[in-house]
PDB file of all heavy atoms in Angstrom:
ATOM      1  N   LYS A 727      74.545  47.707  80.592  1.00  0.00           N
ATOM      2  CA  LYS A 727      75.169  48.284  81.685  1.00  0.00           C
ATOM      3  C   LYS A 727      76.563  48.788  81.088  1.00  0.00           C
ATOM      4  O   LYS A 727      77.070  49.841  81.507  1.00  0.00           O
ATOM      5  CB  LYS A 727      75.479  47.222  82.797  1.00  0.00           C
ATOM      6  CG  LYS A 727      74.269  46.947  83.519  1.00  0.00           C
ATOM      7  CD  LYS A 727      74.554  45.919  84.671  1.00  0.00           C
ATOM      8  CE  LYS A 727      73.289  45.602  85.518  1.00  0.00           C
ATOM      9  NZ  LYS A 727      73.627  44.562  86.609  1.00  0.00           N
ATOM     10  N   ALA A 728      77.194  47.991  80.294  1.00  0.00           N
ATOM     11  CA  ALA A 728      78.461  48.352  79.706  1.00  0.00           C
ATOM     12  C   ALA A 728      78.272  49.779  78.971  1.00  0.00           C
ATOM     13  O   ALA A 728      79.156  50.536  78.996  1.00  0.00           O
ATOM     14  CB  ALA A 728      79.095  47.419  78.754  1.00  0.00           C
ATOM     15  N   GLU A 729      77.269  49.871  78.125  1.00  0.00           N
ATOM     16  CA  GLU A 729      76.973  51.077  77.389  1.00  0.00           C
ATOM     17  C   GLU A 729      76.833  52.106  78.205  1.00  0.00           C
ATOM     18  O   GLU A 729      77.208  53.268  78.012  1.00  0.00           O
ATOM     19  CB  GLU A 729      75.806  50.771  76.362  1.00  0.00           C
ATOM     20  CG  GLU A 729      76.046  49.729  75.309  1.00  0.00           C
ATOM     21  CD  GLU A 729      74.847  49.559  74.452  1.00  0.00           C
ATOM     22  OE1 GLU A 729      73.792  50.112  74.746  1.00  0.00           O
ATOM     23  OE2 GLU A 729      74.879  48.633  73.521  1.00  0.00           O
ATOM     24  N   ALA A 730      76.009  51.906  79.421  1.00  0.00           N
ATOM     25  CA  ALA A 730      75.821  52.958  80.423  1.00  0.00           C
ATOM     26  C   ALA A 730      77.157  53.419  81.036  1.00  0.00           C
ATOM     27  O   ALA A 730      77.419  54.672  81.080  1.00  0.00           O
ATOM     28  CB  ALA A 730      74.762  52.593  81.444  1.00  0.00           C
ATOM     29  N   TYR A 731      77.942  52.513  81.402  1.00  0.00           N
ATOM     30  CA  TYR A 731      79.224  52.962  81.995  1.00  0.00           C
ATOM     31  C   TYR A 731      80.044  53.686  80.909  1.00  0.00           C
ATOM     32  O   TYR A 731      80.686  54.694  81.240  1.00  0.00           O
ATOM     33  CB  TYR A 731      79.915  51.730  82.513  1.00  0.00           C
ATOM     34  CG  TYR A 731      79.501  51.167  83.813  1.00  0.00           C
ATOM     35  CD1 TYR A 731      78.993  49.774  83.912  1.00  0.00           C
ATOM     36  CD2 TYR A 731      79.587  52.032  85.018  1.00  0.00           C
ATOM     37  CE1 TYR A 731      78.521  49.438  85.179  1.00  0.00           C
ATOM     38  CE2 TYR A 731      79.178  51.518  86.151  1.00  0.00           C
ATOM     39  CZ  TYR A 731      78.606  50.186  86.342  1.00  0.00           C
ATOM     40  OH  TYR A 731      78.276  49.735  87.638  1.00  0.00           O
ATOM     41  N   GLN A 732      79.984  53.166  79.728  1.00  0.00           N
ATOM     42  CA  GLN A 732      80.792  53.822  78.760  1.00  0.00           C
ATOM     43  C   GLN A 732      80.321  55.203  78.443  1.00  0.00           C
ATOM     44  O   GLN A 732      81.061  56.160  78.161  1.00  0.00           O
ATOM     45  CB  GLN A 732      80.848  53.053  77.328  1.00  0.00           C
ATOM     46  CG  GLN A 732      81.729  53.446  76.366  1.00  0.00           C
ATOM     47  CD  GLN A 732      83.179  53.485  76.766  1.00  0.00           C
ATOM     48  OE1 GLN A 732      83.663  52.395  77.319  1.00  0.00           O
ATOM     49  NE2 GLN A 732      83.812  54.504  76.630  1.00  0.00           N
ATOM     50  N   ALA A 733      78.990  55.312  78.359  1.00  0.00           N
ATOM     51  CA  ALA A 733      78.457  56.694  78.178  1.00  0.00           C
ATOM     52  C   ALA A 733      78.714  57.651  79.326  1.00  0.00           C
ATOM     53  O   ALA A 733      79.156  58.791  79.155  1.00  0.00           O
ATOM     54  CB  ALA A 733      76.944  56.687  78.114  1.00  0.00           C
ATOM     55  N   ARG A 734      78.739  57.127  80.666  1.00  0.00           N
ATOM     56  CA  ARG A 734      79.304  57.907  81.788  1.00  0.00           C
ATOM     57  C   ARG A 734      80.665  58.403  81.461  1.00  0.00           C
ATOM     58  O   ARG A 734      81.063  59.548  81.723  1.00  0.00           O
ATOM     59  CB  ARG A 734      78.985  57.214  82.964  1.00  0.00           C
ATOM     60  CG  ARG A 734      77.663  56.869  83.307  1.00  0.00           C
ATOM     61  CD  ARG A 734      77.464  56.125  84.617  1.00  0.00           C
ATOM     62  NE  ARG A 734      76.225  55.772  85.074  1.00  0.00           N
ATOM     63  CZ  ARG A 734      75.925  54.955  86.109  1.00  0.00           C
ATOM     64  NH1 ARG A 734      76.842  54.433  86.899  1.00  0.00           N
ATOM     65  NH2 ARG A 734      74.629  54.762  86.412  1.00  0.00           N
ATOM     66  N   LEU A 735      81.431  57.412  81.136  1.00  0.00           N
ATOM     67  CA  LEU A 735      82.952  57.774  80.935  1.00  0.00           C
ATOM     68  C   LEU A 735      83.109  58.731  79.767  1.00  0.00           C
ATOM     69  O   LEU A 735      83.961  59.665  79.864  1.00  0.00           O
ATOM     70  CB  LEU A 735      83.700  56.509  80.495  1.00  0.00           C
ATOM     71  CG  LEU A 735      83.864  55.599  81.854  1.00  0.00           C
ATOM     72  CD1 LEU A 735      84.556  54.191  81.431  1.00  0.00           C
ATOM     73  CD2 LEU A 735      84.659  56.124  82.942  1.00  0.00           C
ATOM     74  N   ASN A 736      82.280  58.677  78.824  1.00  0.00           N
ATOM     75  CA  ASN A 736      82.412  59.567  77.560  1.00  0.00           C
ATOM     76  C   ASN A 736      81.844  60.986  78.056  1.00  0.00           C
ATOM     77  O   ASN A 736      82.374  62.037  77.651  1.00  0.00           O
ATOM     78  CB  ASN A 736      81.496  59.130  76.437  1.00  0.00           C
ATOM     79  CG  ASN A 736      82.160  57.916  75.854  1.00  0.00           C
ATOM     80  OD1 ASN A 736      83.159  57.564  76.041  1.00  0.00           O
ATOM     81  ND2 ASN A 736      81.276  56.964  75.230  1.00  0.00           N
ATOM     82  N   ASN A 737      80.792  61.080  78.966  1.00  0.00           N
ATOM     83  CA  ASN A 737      80.369  62.403  79.389  1.00  0.00           C
ATOM     84  C   ASN A 737      81.192  62.981  80.482  1.00  0.00           C
ATOM     85  O   ASN A 737      80.928  64.316  80.756  1.00  0.00           O
ATOM     86  CB  ASN A 737      78.829  62.250  79.896  1.00  0.00           C
ATOM     87  CG  ASN A 737      77.957  61.953  78.599  1.00  0.00           C
ATOM     88  OD1 ASN A 737      78.153  62.314  77.527  1.00  0.00           O
ATOM     89  ND2 ASN A 737      76.826  61.167  78.955  1.00  0.00           N
ATOM     90  N   THR A 738      81.936  62.316  81.093  1.00  0.00           N
ATOM     91  CA  THR A 738      82.694  62.723  82.261  1.00  0.00           C
ATOM     92  C   THR A 738      83.646  63.928  81.935  1.00  0.00           C
ATOM     93  O   THR A 738      83.572  64.838  82.673  1.00  0.00           O
ATOM     94  CB  THR A 738      83.503  61.625  83.038  1.00  0.00           C
ATOM     95  OG1 THR A 738      82.565  60.622  83.427  1.00  0.00           O
ATOM     96  CG2 THR A 738      84.387  62.179  84.072  1.00  0.00           C
ATOM     97  N   PRO A 739      84.353  63.797  80.818  1.00  0.00           N
ATOM     98  CA  PRO A 739      85.255  65.019  80.565  1.00  0.00           C
ATOM     99  C   PRO A 739      84.438  66.397  80.396  1.00  0.00           C
ATOM    100  O   PRO A 739      84.806  67.528  80.900  1.00  0.00           O
ATOM    101  CB  PRO A 739      85.938  64.683  79.240  1.00  0.00           C
ATOM    102  CG  PRO A 739      85.896  63.254  79.247  1.00  0.00           C
ATOM    103  CD  PRO A 739      84.554  62.772  79.860  1.00  0.00           C
ATOM    104  N   LYS A 740      83.280  66.229  79.730  1.00  0.00           N
ATOM    105  CA  LYS A 740      82.419  67.488  79.606  1.00  0.00           C
ATOM    106  C   LYS A 740      81.922  68.060  80.867  1.00  0.00           C
ATOM    107  O   LYS A 740      82.062  69.208  81.212  1.00  0.00           O
ATOM    108  CB  LYS A 740      81.228  67.127  78.660  1.00  0.00           C
ATOM    109  CG  LYS A 740      80.222  68.395  78.429  1.00  0.00           C
ATOM    110  CD  LYS A 740      79.266  67.995  77.412  1.00  0.00           C
ATOM    111  CE  LYS A 740      78.217  66.909  77.927  1.00  0.00           C
ATOM    112  NZ  LYS A 740      77.166  66.669  76.971  1.00  0.00           N
ATOM    113  N   TRP A 741      81.351  67.150  81.700  1.00  0.00           N
ATOM    114  CA  TRP A 741      80.952  67.677  82.951  1.00  0.00           C
ATOM    115  C   TRP A 741      81.959  67.965  83.889  1.00  0.00           C
ATOM    116  O   TRP A 741      81.871  68.907  84.735  1.00  0.00           O
ATOM    117  CB  TRP A 741      80.096  66.545  83.645  1.00  0.00           C
ATOM    118  CG  TRP A 741      78.915  65.894  82.853  1.00  0.00           C
ATOM    119  CD1 TRP A 741      78.587  64.739  82.680  1.00  0.00           C
ATOM    120  CD2 TRP A 741      78.024  66.754  82.128  1.00  0.00           C
ATOM    121  NE1 TRP A 741      77.427  64.633  81.875  1.00  0.00           N
ATOM    122  CE2 TRP A 741      77.016  65.853  81.505  1.00  0.00           C
ATOM    123  CE3 TRP A 741      77.794  68.095  81.802  1.00  0.00           C
ATOM    124  CZ2 TRP A 741      76.035  66.154  80.645  1.00  0.00           C
ATOM    125  CZ3 TRP A 741      76.826  68.485  80.893  1.00  0.00           C
ATOM    126  CH2 TRP A 741      75.923  67.588  80.368  1.00  0.00           C
ATOM    127  N   ALA A 742      83.264  67.337  83.691  1.00  0.00           N
ATOM    128  CA  ALA A 742      84.337  67.727  84.502  1.00  0.00           C
ATOM    129  C   ALA A 742      84.677  69.196  84.305  1.00  0.00           C
ATOM    130  O   ALA A 742      85.093  69.943  85.215  1.00  0.00           O
ATOM    131  CB  ALA A 742      85.449  66.815  84.193  1.00  0.00           C
ATOM    132  N   HIS A 743      84.692  69.545  82.955  1.00  0.00           N
ATOM    133  CA  HIS A 743      85.022  71.027  82.639  1.00  0.00           C
ATOM    134  C   HIS A 743      84.072  71.960  83.254  1.00  0.00           C
ATOM    135  O   HIS A 743      84.482  72.966  84.021  1.00  0.00           O
ATOM    136  CB  HIS A 743      85.054  71.173  81.130  1.00  0.00           C
ATOM    137  CG  HIS A 743      85.270  72.576  80.658  1.00  0.00           C
ATOM    138  ND1 HIS A 743      86.548  73.168  80.858  1.00  0.00           N
ATOM    139  CD2 HIS A 743      84.390  73.419  80.090  1.00  0.00           C
ATOM    140  CE1 HIS A 743      86.345  74.398  80.360  1.00  0.00           C
ATOM    141  NE2 HIS A 743      85.150  74.557  79.908  1.00  0.00           N
ATOM    142  N   GLU A 744      82.716  71.643  83.112  1.00  0.00           N
ATOM    143  CA  GLU A 744      81.747  72.570  83.666  1.00  0.00           C
ATOM    144  C   GLU A 744      81.878  72.668  85.286  1.00  0.00           C
ATOM    145  O   GLU A 744      81.772  73.680  85.885  1.00  0.00           O
ATOM    146  CB  GLU A 744      80.335  72.119  83.300  1.00  0.00           C
ATOM    147  CG  GLU A 744      80.080  72.218  81.813  1.00  0.00           C
ATOM    148  CD  GLU A 744      78.699  71.883  81.441  1.00  0.00           C
ATOM    149  OE1 GLU A 744      77.773  71.946  82.375  1.00  0.00           O
ATOM    150  OE2 GLU A 744      78.220  71.817  80.211  1.00  0.00           O
ATOM    151  N   LEU A 745      82.083  71.338  85.756  1.00  0.00           N
ATOM    152  CA  LEU A 745      82.236  71.386  87.296  1.00  0.00           C
ATOM    153  C   LEU A 745      83.454  72.046  87.726  1.00  0.00           C
ATOM    154  O   LEU A 745      83.429  72.866  88.728  1.00  0.00           O
ATOM    155  CB  LEU A 745      82.177  69.932  87.761  1.00  0.00           C
ATOM    156  CG  LEU A 745      82.269  69.610  89.230  1.00  0.00           C
ATOM    157  CD1 LEU A 745      81.071  70.302  89.887  1.00  0.00           C
ATOM    158  CD2 LEU A 745      82.253  68.276  89.589  1.00  0.00           C
ATOM    159  N   ALA A 746      84.577  71.955  86.991  1.00  0.00           N
ATOM    160  CA  ALA A 746      85.790  72.670  87.341  1.00  0.00           C
ATOM    161  C   ALA A 746      85.590  74.232  87.332  1.00  0.00           C
ATOM    162  O   ALA A 746      86.010  74.944  88.096  1.00  0.00           O
ATOM    163  CB  ALA A 746      86.859  72.248  86.389  1.00  0.00           C
ATOM    164  N   VAL A 747      84.815  74.602  86.368  1.00  0.00           N
ATOM    165  CA  VAL A 747      84.489  76.129  86.117  1.00  0.00           C
ATOM    166  C   VAL A 747      83.697  76.492  87.412  1.00  0.00           C
ATOM    167  O   VAL A 747      83.963  77.599  88.040  1.00  0.00           O
ATOM    168  CB  VAL A 747      83.833  76.336  84.870  1.00  0.00           C
ATOM    169  CG1 VAL A 747      83.473  77.948  84.940  1.00  0.00           C
ATOM    170  CG2 VAL A 747      84.719  76.225  83.675  1.00  0.00           C
ATOM    171  N   MET A 748      82.663  75.660  87.720  1.00  0.00           N
ATOM    172  CA  MET A 748      81.800  76.080  88.965  1.00  0.00           C
ATOM    173  C   MET A 748      82.592  75.999  90.192  1.00  0.00           C
ATOM    174  O   MET A 748      82.509  76.832  91.233  1.00  0.00           O
ATOM    175  CB  MET A 748      80.637  75.139  88.940  1.00  0.00           C
ATOM    176  CG  MET A 748      79.760  75.321  87.688  1.00  0.00           C
ATOM    177  SD  MET A 748      78.387  74.087  87.806  1.00  0.00           S
ATOM    178  CE  MET A 748      77.401  74.625  89.149  1.00  0.00           C
ATOM    179  N   ASN A 749      83.548  74.972  90.308  1.00  0.00           N
ATOM    180  CA  ASN A 749      84.234  74.865  91.473  1.00  0.00           C
ATOM    181  C   ASN A 749      85.222  76.019  91.578  1.00  0.00           C
ATOM    182  O   ASN A 749      85.706  76.551  92.644  1.00  0.00           O
ATOM    183  CB  ASN A 749      85.061  73.586  91.517  1.00  0.00           C
ATOM    184  CG  ASN A 749      84.274  72.376  91.850  1.00  0.00           C
ATOM    185  OD1 ASN A 749      83.239  72.631  92.681  1.00  0.00           O
ATOM    186  ND2 ASN A 749      84.473  71.271  91.394  1.00  0.00           N
ATOM    187  N   ARG A 750      85.787  76.436  90.582  1.00  0.00           N
ATOM    188  CA  ARG A 750      86.788  77.670  90.455  1.00  0.00           C
ATOM    189  C   ARG A 750      86.026  78.880  90.977  1.00  0.00           C
ATOM    190  O   ARG A 750      86.563  79.618  91.810  1.00  0.00           O
ATOM    191  CB  ARG A 750      87.337  77.887  89.050  1.00  0.00           C
ATOM    192  CG  ARG A 750      88.337  78.942  89.003  1.00  0.00           C
ATOM    193  CD  ARG A 750      88.618  79.431  87.507  1.00  0.00           C
ATOM    194  NE  ARG A 750      87.297  79.820  87.001  1.00  0.00           N
ATOM    195  CZ  ARG A 750      87.161  79.921  85.577  1.00  0.00           C
ATOM    196  NH1 ARG A 750      88.106  79.568  84.868  1.00  0.00           N
ATOM    197  NH2 ARG A 750      85.969  80.352  85.037  1.00  0.00           N
ATOM    198  N   ASP A 751      84.859  79.138  90.356  1.00  0.00           N
ATOM    199  CA  ASP A 751      84.186  80.226  90.796  1.00  0.00           C
ATOM    200  C   ASP A 751      83.703  80.217  92.265  1.00  0.00           C
ATOM    201  O   ASP A 751      83.761  81.262  93.029  1.00  0.00           O
ATOM    202  CB  ASP A 751      82.922  80.529  89.933  1.00  0.00           C
ATOM    203  CG  ASP A 751      83.247  80.810  88.465  1.00  0.00           C
ATOM    204  OD1 ASP A 751      84.435  81.364  88.273  1.00  0.00           O
ATOM    205  OD2 ASP A 751      82.345  80.570  87.596  1.00  0.00           O
ATOM    206  N   TYR A 752      83.433  79.001  92.729  1.00  0.00           N
ATOM    207  CA  TYR A 752      83.081  78.756  94.130  1.00  0.00           C
ATOM    208  C   TYR A 752      84.309  79.039  95.025  1.00  0.00           C
ATOM    209  O   TYR A 752      84.093  79.640  96.120  1.00  0.00           O
ATOM    210  CB  TYR A 752      82.427  77.240  94.326  1.00  0.00           C
ATOM    211  CG  TYR A 752      82.342  76.901  95.707  1.00  0.00           C
ATOM    212  CD1 TYR A 752      81.417  77.435  96.524  1.00  0.00           C
ATOM    213  CD2 TYR A 752      83.353  75.962  96.256  1.00  0.00           C
ATOM    214  CE1 TYR A 752      81.266  77.094  97.834  1.00  0.00           C
ATOM    215  CE2 TYR A 752      83.105  75.555  97.507  1.00  0.00           C
ATOM    216  CZ  TYR A 752      82.081  76.095  98.353  1.00  0.00           C
ATOM    217  OH  TYR A 752      82.152  75.660  99.682  1.00  0.00           O
ATOM    218  N   GLU A 753      85.333  78.505  94.580  1.00  0.00           N
ATOM    219  CA  GLU A 753      86.576  78.695  95.617  1.00  0.00           C
ATOM    220  C   GLU A 753      86.932  80.178  95.595  1.00  0.00           C
ATOM    221  O   GLU A 753      87.294  80.720  96.715  1.00  0.00           O
ATOM    222  CB  GLU A 753      87.775  77.957  94.841  1.00  0.00           C
ATOM    223  CG  GLU A 753      87.672  76.403  95.147  1.00  0.00           C
ATOM    224  CD  GLU A 753      87.635  76.074  96.585  1.00  0.00           C
ATOM    225  OE1 GLU A 753      88.317  76.813  97.387  1.00  0.00           O
ATOM    226  OE2 GLU A 753      86.981  75.116  96.930  1.00  0.00           O
ATOM    227  N   ILE A 754      86.802  80.903  94.451  1.00  0.00           N
ATOM    228  CA  ILE A 754      86.940  82.360  94.479  1.00  0.00           C
ATOM    229  C   ILE A 754      86.073  83.061  95.482  1.00  0.00           C
ATOM    230  O   ILE A 754      86.512  83.838  96.250  1.00  0.00           O
ATOM    231  CB  ILE A 754      86.912  82.929  93.029  1.00  0.00           C
ATOM    232  CG1 ILE A 754      88.064  82.389  92.221  1.00  0.00           C
ATOM    233  CG2 ILE A 754      87.033  84.538  93.154  1.00  0.00           C
ATOM    234  CD1 ILE A 754      87.920  82.850  90.743  1.00  0.00           C
ATOM    235  N   ALA A 755      84.799  82.743  95.307  1.00  0.00           N
ATOM    236  CA  ALA A 755      83.725  83.281  96.158  1.00  0.00           C
ATOM    237  C   ALA A 755      84.051  82.955  97.751  1.00  0.00           C
ATOM    238  O   ALA A 755      83.948  83.694  98.648  1.00  0.00           O
ATOM    239  CB  ALA A 755      82.468  82.905  95.806  1.00  0.00           C
ATOM    240  N   ARG A 756      84.382  81.650  97.845  1.00  0.00           N
ATOM    241  CA  ARG A 756      84.680  81.246  99.264  1.00  0.00           C
ATOM    242  C   ARG A 756      85.868  81.856  99.863  1.00  0.00           C
ATOM    243  O   ARG A 756      86.002  82.272 101.025  1.00  0.00           O
ATOM    244  CB  ARG A 756      84.755  79.738  99.318  1.00  0.00           C
ATOM    245  CG  ARG A 756      84.737  79.186 100.677  1.00  0.00           C
ATOM    246  CD  ARG A 756      84.778  77.620 100.697  1.00  0.00           C
ATOM    247  NE  ARG A 756      85.858  77.127  99.993  1.00  0.00           N
ATOM    248  CZ  ARG A 756      86.887  76.525 100.715  1.00  0.00           C
ATOM    249  NH1 ARG A 756      86.984  76.745 102.044  1.00  0.00           N
ATOM    250  NH2 ARG A 756      87.887  76.026 100.080  1.00  0.00           N
ATOM    251  N   THR A 757      86.907  82.007  98.843  1.00  0.00           N
ATOM    252  CA  THR A 757      88.199  82.681  99.411  1.00  0.00           C
ATOM    253  C   THR A 757      87.874  84.213  99.812  1.00  0.00           C
ATOM    254  O   THR A 757      88.238  84.686 100.886  1.00  0.00           O
ATOM    255  CB  THR A 757      89.275  82.622  98.408  1.00  0.00           C
ATOM    256  OG1 THR A 757      89.540  81.271  98.038  1.00  0.00           O
ATOM    257  CG2 THR A 757      90.531  83.442  98.900  1.00  0.00           C
ATOM    258  N   LYS A 758      87.087  84.841  98.940  1.00  0.00           N
ATOM    259  CA  LYS A 758      86.722  86.238  99.230  1.00  0.00           C
ATOM    260  C   LYS A 758      85.875  86.344 100.583  1.00  0.00           C
ATOM    261  O   LYS A 758      86.060  87.140 101.334  1.00  0.00           O
ATOM    262  CB  LYS A 758      85.833  86.826  98.113  1.00  0.00           C
ATOM    263  CG  LYS A 758      86.696  87.078  96.851  1.00  0.00           C
ATOM    264  CD  LYS A 758      85.829  87.774  95.763  1.00  0.00           C
ATOM    265  CE  LYS A 758      86.573  87.991  94.487  1.00  0.00           C
ATOM    266  NZ  LYS A 758      85.605  88.539  93.437  1.00  0.00           N
ATOM    267  N   TYR A 759      85.002  85.303 100.710  1.00  0.00           N
ATOM    268  CA  TYR A 759      84.094  85.212 101.861  1.00  0.00           C
ATOM    269  C   TYR A 759      84.994  85.157 103.143  1.00  0.00           C
ATOM    270  O   TYR A 759      84.799  85.731 104.118  1.00  0.00           O
ATOM    271  CB  TYR A 759      83.088  84.116 101.834  1.00  0.00           C
ATOM    272  CG  TYR A 759      82.211  84.026 103.014  1.00  0.00           C
ATOM    273  CD1 TYR A 759      81.239  84.940 103.341  1.00  0.00           C
ATOM    274  CD2 TYR A 759      82.445  82.894 103.908  1.00  0.00           C
ATOM    275  CE1 TYR A 759      80.424  84.640 104.396  1.00  0.00           C
ATOM    276  CE2 TYR A 759      81.672  82.759 104.932  1.00  0.00           C
ATOM    277  CZ  TYR A 759      80.692  83.717 105.267  1.00  0.00           C
ATOM    278  OH  TYR A 759      79.944  83.449 106.425  1.00  0.00           O
ATOM    279  N   GLN A 760      85.915  84.112 103.098  1.00  0.00           N
ATOM    280  CA  GLN A 760      86.855  83.925 104.187  1.00  0.00           C
ATOM    281  C   GLN A 760      87.681  85.189 104.574  1.00  0.00           C
ATOM    282  O   GLN A 760      87.915  85.575 105.724  1.00  0.00           O
ATOM    283  CB  GLN A 760      87.710  82.730 104.021  1.00  0.00           C
ATOM    284  CG  GLN A 760      86.890  81.445 103.962  1.00  0.00           C
ATOM    285  CD  GLN A 760      87.846  80.285 103.713  1.00  0.00           C
ATOM    286  OE1 GLN A 760      88.986  80.382 103.136  1.00  0.00           O
ATOM    287  NE2 GLN A 760      87.417  78.987 103.721  1.00  0.00           N
ATOM    288  N   SER A 761      88.125  85.884 103.441  1.00  0.00           N
ATOM    289  CA  SER A 761      88.877  87.105 103.721  1.00  0.00           C
ATOM    290  C   SER A 761      88.121  88.203 104.304  1.00  0.00           C
ATOM    291  O   SER A 761      88.478  88.940 105.187  1.00  0.00           O
ATOM    292  CB  SER A 761      89.411  87.555 102.238  1.00  0.00           C
ATOM    293  OG  SER A 761      90.179  88.814 102.476  1.00  0.00           O
ATOM    294  N   VAL A 762      86.881  88.321 103.820  1.00  0.00           N
ATOM    295  CA  VAL A 762      85.947  89.356 104.347  1.00  0.00           C
ATOM    296  C   VAL A 762      85.640  89.040 105.832  1.00  0.00           C
ATOM    297  O   VAL A 762      85.498  90.056 106.611  1.00  0.00           O
ATOM    298  CB  VAL A 762      84.725  89.448 103.486  1.00  0.00           C
ATOM    299  CG1 VAL A 762      83.647  90.336 104.157  1.00  0.00           C
ATOM    300  CG2 VAL A 762      85.040  90.009 102.080  1.00  0.00           C
ATOM    301  N   VAL A 763      85.370  87.701 106.146  1.00  0.00           N
ATOM    302  CA  VAL A 763      85.098  87.354 107.536  1.00  0.00           C
ATOM    303  C   VAL A 763      86.339  87.716 108.411  1.00  0.00           C
ATOM    304  O   VAL A 763      86.144  88.409 109.543  1.00  0.00           O
ATOM    305  CB  VAL A 763      84.700  85.884 107.556  1.00  0.00           C
ATOM    306  CG1 VAL A 763      84.705  85.426 109.131  1.00  0.00           C
ATOM    307  CG2 VAL A 763      83.497  85.598 106.874  1.00  0.00           C
TER     308      VAL A 763
END
Side-chain angles (χ1 to χ4, degrees):
K727 290 181 179 180
E729 292 176 356
Y731 280 121
Q732 189 62 46
R734 292 177 182 179
L735 292 174
N736 294 335
N737 291 330
T738 297
K740 179 175 66 175
W741 304 138
H743 175 70
E744 294 187 11
L745 184 61
V747 173
M748 297 176 68
N749 283 329
R750 181 194 62 193
D751 295 338
Y752 166 70
E753 288 297 327
I754 293 174
R756 191 167 66 90
T757 303
K758 289 182 179 179
Y759 175 74
Q760 292 176 349
S761 176
V762 170
V763 170

